[in-house]
Structures are given as structure tokens and as C-alpha cells.
Amino acid sequence: MAVIEFQVTGMTCGHCEMSIRNEVGQIPGVENIDVSAQTGKLVVTASQPVEDGAVLAAVDEAGYSAVRV
Ligand SMILES: [Cu+2]
């Protein structure tokens, strides 16, 4: 089980959280996503190792930017 944390900038509301969930949720192995527009915190739990770059690309695809914490 891999848990990786990111700080996302640009989210303002629940729709933003949902966009991130939709994109990050498509990454193979991702089992849980905790994301908060309020704190910008994104915690991804996966059943297999996930590349930081895959998550960063998914966040970018959703229209936001992130850095690994
Ligand atoms: Cu929003």
C-alpha cells in the first residue's frame, strides 16, 4: 500500500475536488483519494506504487497544479 501526499493550488470548491478525484481516480492502482479544496491537500492511497508524475499529470489534466509534499 502506497500513500503519497501533494499540495494542490487553485482549488476553490467541491467541484474542484471532484475534478481532481475524477482524473486521479483513473490512475491504475489508486484506491482512495482524500482531497480538500480548503487546505489544498491531496492524499492518494494506492495498492501499487504510483509515479508522482502520473498524479501530477492527472491534477494538471483537471486544470490545477500540484507539488509532492
Ligand atoms: Cu471549484
Side-chain angles (χ1 to χ4, degrees):
M1 198 64 95
V3 179
I4 45 179
E5 194 176 325
F6 299 84
Q7 188 66 36
V8 180
T9 49
M11 289 190 292
T12 55
C13 69
H15 289 112
C16 301
E17 295 173 352
M18 195 55 70
S19 301
I20 301 252
R21 269 180 201 286
N22 286 341
E23 291 297 335
V24 176
Q26 290 174 29
I27 300 169
V30 169
E31 294 200 329
N32 189 62
I33 300 163
D34 274 318
V35 61
S36 166
Q38 202 162 24
T39 63
K41 201 169 150 184
L42 166 64
V43 182
V44 179
T45 306
S47 59
Q48 64 192 59
V50 169
E51 298 264 344
D52 288 2
V55 177
L56 297 177
V59 170
D60 186 69
E61 190 65 35
Y64 308 94
S65 60
V67 290
R68 176 76 194 266
V69 177

